[in-house]
Amino acid sequence: MQNVLVTGGAGFIGANFVRWLLRERPSVKIVTLDALTYAGRRENVPEHNRNIFVHGDIRDRALVEKLLREHAVDTLVHFAAESHVDRSILGPEAFVQTNIVGTFQLLEAARATGVKRFHHVSTDEVFGSLGPNDPAFTETTPYDPRSPYSASKAASDHLVRAYVHTFGLPATISNCTNNYGPFQFPEKLIPLMIANARAGKPLPVYGDGKQVRDWLYVEDHCEALVAVVEKGRVGETYNIGGGVQPTNLEVVQRLCAILDELEPERRHAELIKFVTDRPGHDRRYAMNIEKIERELGWRPRFGLEQGLRLTVRWYLDNAAWVKSIQETGDFQKWMNRNYEKRGEVKQ
Ligand code: NAD
Ligand code: TYD
């Protein structure tokens, strides 16, 4: 990995990944390509002499090919996506455009220019939903996506695999569980709850709050991705996860307890409000991460409590970043659209 193109580097995980590379791989040069959609923030991309920012769309194949050639890119790490399940329910088209068509255009550009490694960042949601006693997803669990978001990610995973088998593209795929940490857009569960709790606003828990997610601190995800890019076998898929599976309600309660310590004037858990569930809401995700542990020696370093504390601290220290997003018309429109029709559900 010498010259890396990072797509979606102005979003949550991409921005953390660019920072990680700049810090830990001192000879790597980066080109960050991002369309700056509602989720992409120019200020998330660090100013650095080894990082060039390009404002552009992954569907623009000519642009991508030009960047790959001009910067002699050997490694492409693909994060750019529409990533929010609730938005995919209210407006699926952008998901098909970016996640499927965009990935296709990147694959074509990579094939034409001969990159040495194409790494595709994907999600555990492609595997569908688990019952309470089902074993965790492995790399060979059949795909069973259930939301427009996960269906579009599944489609892109299939395209990447097809390019490996048909054209010999040197690609790898990773499927990761829910991430949390600095720079996560404040419409997602954890940053939304932190922001609302601090403002004394209701904490909207969907349904009964007993849905289970496997949470991974974003820094751990970045390390896992580097392990796959540097040591993973071409054509292989690696599952990545945190190995901790609390219910949504437990996560929100933990956040409230941490905030109670830091801001004792309010009992934050009193703000919890159960609201109408998400349609088709996946009940449980859990990841078996034995393969990446065994083959690449990666395992998560941050426990949930430690990661949540670091995350709360970051959001407290970066309240201006959150506020600047909350003040945009798009954010306010989204909050109204997603929450105004969700009535309170008594438990
Ligand atoms: P995000 O929504 O925070 O960021 C996505 C970024 O992609 C934004 O900066 C956006 O501007 C950019 N983008 C969107 N459409 C684009 C286009 N057409 N061209 C160029 N740039 C475009 O997402 P995230 O949470 O950082 O997720 C990154 C990747 O990781 C996604 O592929 C997602 O599916 C995957 N993933 C996320 C999680 C999670 O918990 N967040 C878990 C597993 C996998
Ligand atoms: P989210 O952060 O949107 O990630 P994903 O849907 O990709 O797992 O949501 C995480 C969980 O939190 C999910 O089960 C939905 C739930 N949730 C709420 O209960 N309330 C909310 O306001 C949001 C945004 C999510």
Side-chain angles (χ1 to χ4, degrees):
M1 183 163 41
Q2 267 311 308
N3 298 323
V4 185
L5 179 70
V6 175
T7 72
F12 163 44
I13 308 174
N16 279 282
F17 184 77
V18 168
R19 282 179 165 65
W20 196 99
L21 279 188
L22 290 172
R23 202 176 63 232
E24 305 287 338
R25 292 291 180 275
S27 62
V28 162
K29 293 197 186 115
I30 305 169
V31 179
T32 300
L33 172 64
D34 198 294
L36 299 180
T37 67
Y38 80 91
R41 313 286 302 171
R42 181 64 185 85
E43 68 269 24
N44 292 358
V45 184
E47 296 297 334
H48 196 287
N49 59 6
R50 287 188 287 117
N51 181 31
I52 297 170
F53 177 73
V54 178
H55 183 193
D57 197 306
I58 57 166
R59 289 170 301 170
D60 184 346
R61 194 195 308 176
L63 170 68
V64 177
E65 273 198 40
K66 180 168 151 289
L67 294 175
L68 293 176
R69 288 189 211 281
E70 265 178 12
H71 299 280
V73 169
D74 49 71
T75 306
L76 193 163
V77 187
H78 175 32
F79 295 90
E82 288 292 333
S83 69
H84 192 183
V85 175
D86 291 323
R87 285 193 190 243
S88 83
I89 296 168
L90 293 175
E93 174 138 18
F95 289 72
V96 172
Q97 282 301 324
T98 285
N99 300 359
I100 306 178
V101 178
T103 302
F104 163 72
Q105 297 293 10
L106 282 182
L107 287 165
E108 282 291 298
R111 183 158 85 92
T113 51
V115 297
K116 295 206 179 69
R117 177 60 66 95
F118 184 112
H119 183 72
H120 179 61
V121 180
S122 191
T123 166
D124 59 353
E125 304 192 25
V126 297
F127 297 121
S129 180
L130 293 169
N133 300 315
D134 290 339
F137 303 127
T138 69
E139 286 79 2
T140 54
T141 300
Y143 276 29
D144 184 21
R146 294 150 41 103
S147 73
Y149 165 65
S150 53
S152 65
K153 292 297 290 188
S156 63
D157 293 8
H158 289 320
L159 278 172
V160 175
R161 264 184 215 113
Y163 273 64
V164 173
H165 292 290
T166 310
F167 303 116
L169 189 81
T172 39
I173 298 176
S174 54
N175 294 87
C176 187
T177 58
N178 286 61
N179 282 217
Y180 65 102
F183 296 104
Q184 188 165 29
F185 197 77
E187 68 183 9
K188 300 280 174 73
L189 179 76
I190 288 178
L192 177 80
M193 295 297 167
I194 298 171
N196 280 14
R198 293 200 72 208
K201 291 187 183 158
L203 307 181
V205 173
Y206 295 165
D208 61 6
K210 295 198 177 118
Q211 303 81 8
V212 171
R213 297 290 181 268
D214 179 321
W215 291 96
L216 182 70
Y217 190 59
V218 65
E219 178 114 359
D220 275 329
H221 189 188
C222 294
E223 279 188 17
L225 290 171
V226 172
V228 174
V229 170
E230 290 181 340
K231 298 187 279 183
R233 287 180 291 138
V234 164
E236 291 290 316
T237 289
Y238 294 88
N239 281 358
I240 303 170
V244 270
Q245 288 131 15
T247 65
N248 290 342
L249 184 58
E250 284 164 350
V251 170
V252 176
Q253 286 168 334
R254 273 318 304 151
L255 289 171
C256 289
I258 295 168
L259 282 166
D260 285 354
E261 282 174 30
L262 299 171
E263 300 183 329
E265 58 283 359
R266 179 176 280 136
R267 287 166 55 108
H268 298 87
E270 286 173 359
L271 298 166
I272 291 173
K273 186 173 148 191
F274 294 92
V275 298
T276 315
D277 209 351
R278 170 188 282 174
H281 198 172
D282 288 345
R283 198 67 184 164
R284 174 173 165 248
Y285 305 138
M287 231 20 170
N288 178 320
I289 57 168
E290 283 169 20
K291 179 176 175 182
I292 190 169
E293 285 189 314
R294 191 179 60 245
E295 285 192 17
L296 308 183
W298 175 88
R299 69 183 56 206
R301 290 195 295 117
F302 293 84
L304 184 66
E305 181 67 21
Q306 184 192 10
L308 289 179
R309 281 182 184 278
L310 288 169
T311 304
V312 170
R313 188 73 264 161
W314 190 88
Y315 279 89
L316 261 54
D317 292 343
N318 291 275
W321 180 86
V322 177
K323 189 157 172 274
S324 73
I325 293 171
Q326 288 172 327
E327 283 172 356
T328 60
D330 180 90
F331 190 84
Q332 287 161 11
K333 229 164 67 196
W334 167 253
M335 294 304 280
N336 291 338
R337 208 167 154 220
N338 193 42
Y339 293 99
E340 73 183 354
K341 293 207 187 83
R342 288 182 195 272
E344 185 161 0
V345 178
K346 289 282 167 227
Q347 295 300 305

